[in-house]
Amino acid sequence: MPDVNRRLSVLADSELFAPDCRFRLSGTMRTGLFPSLFLLECRNLSDADVFRLRNTKELSVLREDSCLASGRVSDVFCRTVPEGTVTAVAFSLGLDLWETSVSLSVPAGVSVSETVRRILAASGTGVQLLSFPGSDPVFSRGQAFFGRAAECVASALSAASARCYLVPAGLCVLPAEPLPATLHLSGKDLTDRPALADGGKKLILSTSVTGFQPGEEMTLAYGGKTYAGLILERMTEADTALGPWNTQLLVELHG
């Protein structure tokens, strides 16, 4: 059954933007620190709204209370179509960390979590370390970091066999051992049958348009089986008119 409510709310620098416009959001959010690029297309904006977008720093797209995408605006461009104009906005979470370089020395005896905090502070991006569950070993030797801040963070985390993901509030760490699941799905949450991928190591799920968070541990009860895994990616295609309206999750299965 198709969704009745296709309404999206767009916030430009935390203020509601063009509430009656037709929007189309597309993009993929992933774990890790490579920027997750999204594209928002807006139909037939006024000149004032186009000007406002060109001066917007941060953009967020929500469905009801669920954030589908947010990040720093990197480009705004317009094109003419038979039905009028389309203004497209490219924005990405994690762009600042990816574009910023650091040069930092950390002495011996500093933990991995403290090293990550120092790298983030040196980046000047304002990104904060929000959580560091699991093992937090101490470096027995001094460490030197030079290059992209995002790659330096990933390098430091590798000493704890840990990964990470970004949320608008900051950086979260994924330990080597899975955390307890916080998201529990069943067949009623899916819009199509789940499909195994990568030799059965991953699961592809089609759901309604919702802001499931990559990096979240989840379970799925389906067909008499229970699957447990980590959400690696969320792909979103959401058109407030008659275009695509779906979310796909790529889940790394445990065991």
Side-chain angles (χ1 to χ4, degrees):
M1 180 180 296
D3 289 89
V4 175
N5 176 17
R6 283 186 171 223
R7 184 178 180 83
L8 298 177
S9 298
V10 175
L11 303 179
D13 290 332
S14 301
E15 297 291 333
L16 188 64
F17 175 79
D20 298 321
C21 180
R22 174 185 174 182
F23 296 113
R24 177 170 178 167
L25 176 72
S26 58
T28 301
M29 192 171 182
R30 302 176 175 88
T31 56
L33 292 177
F34 189 83
S36 295
L37 178 66
F38 278 84
L39 189 70
L40 180 70
E41 294 184 337
C42 317
R43 293 277 182 161
N44 298 321
L45 290 178
S46 67
D47 290 344
D49 281 336
V50 173
F51 178 81
R52 182 180 170 189
L53 274 184
R54 293 190 186 279
N55 288 277
T56 294
K57 295 180 180 180
E58 297 286 334
L59 200 71
S60 300
V61 182
L62 297 86
R63 185 190 178 208
E64 298 174 343
D65 294 328
S66 181
C67 183
L68 304 178
S70 66
R72 195 187 90 193
V73 173
S74 58
D75 201 3
V76 178
F77 48 95
C78 301
R79 70 179 190 273
T80 302
V81 296
E83 299 81 13
T85 61
V86 175
T87 302
V89 189
F91 62 108
S92 179
L93 185 65
L95 199 57
D96 289 343
L97 271 182
W98 188 257
E99 291 182 343
T100 301
S101 294
V102 297
S103 180
L104 177 70
S105 295
V106 179
V110 176
S111 67
V112 173
S113 63
E114 177 59 25
T115 299
V116 170
R117 288 188 180 92
R118 294 188 186 190
I119 295 171
L120 293 176
S123 73
T125 59
V127 177
Q128 301 291 318
L129 178 63
L130 301 179
S131 66
F132 200 104
S135 173
D136 187 11
V138 170
F139 288 108
S140 59
R141 298 180 180 179
Q143 305 291 312
F145 298 93
F146 178 79
R148 295 183 190 274
E151 293 177 335
C152 291
V153 168
S155 175
L157 288 175
S158 66
S161 300
R163 295 177 286 180
C164 63
Y165 63 96
L166 282 172
V167 296
L171 179 74
C172 299
V173 170
L174 295 167
E177 295 299 320
L179 296 170
T182 55
L183 176 65
H184 304 281
L185 302 180
S186 65
K188 64 181 176 60
D189 298 302
L190 306 183
T191 59
D192 203 351
R193 293 167 58 90
L196 290 170
D198 193 17
K201 297 178 182 178
K202 295 183 175 67
L203 192 65
I204 299 174
L205 305 178
S206 298
T207 76
S208 179
V209 174
T210 308
F212 295 120
Q213 175 63 53
E216 189 170 12
E217 294 284 353
M218 58 150 291
T219 65
L220 169 67
Y222 186 89
K225 296 182 179 180
T226 299
Y227 302 89
L230 174 75
I231 301 176
L232 294 178
E233 298 182 5
R234 169 173 51 81
M235 183 279 292
T236 299
E237 290 279 354
D239 190 323
T240 57
L242 299 177
W245 185 261
N246 59 76
T247 289
Q248 281 196 332
L249 304 178
L250 179 64
V251 179
E252 179 183 76
L253 295 174
H254 300 318

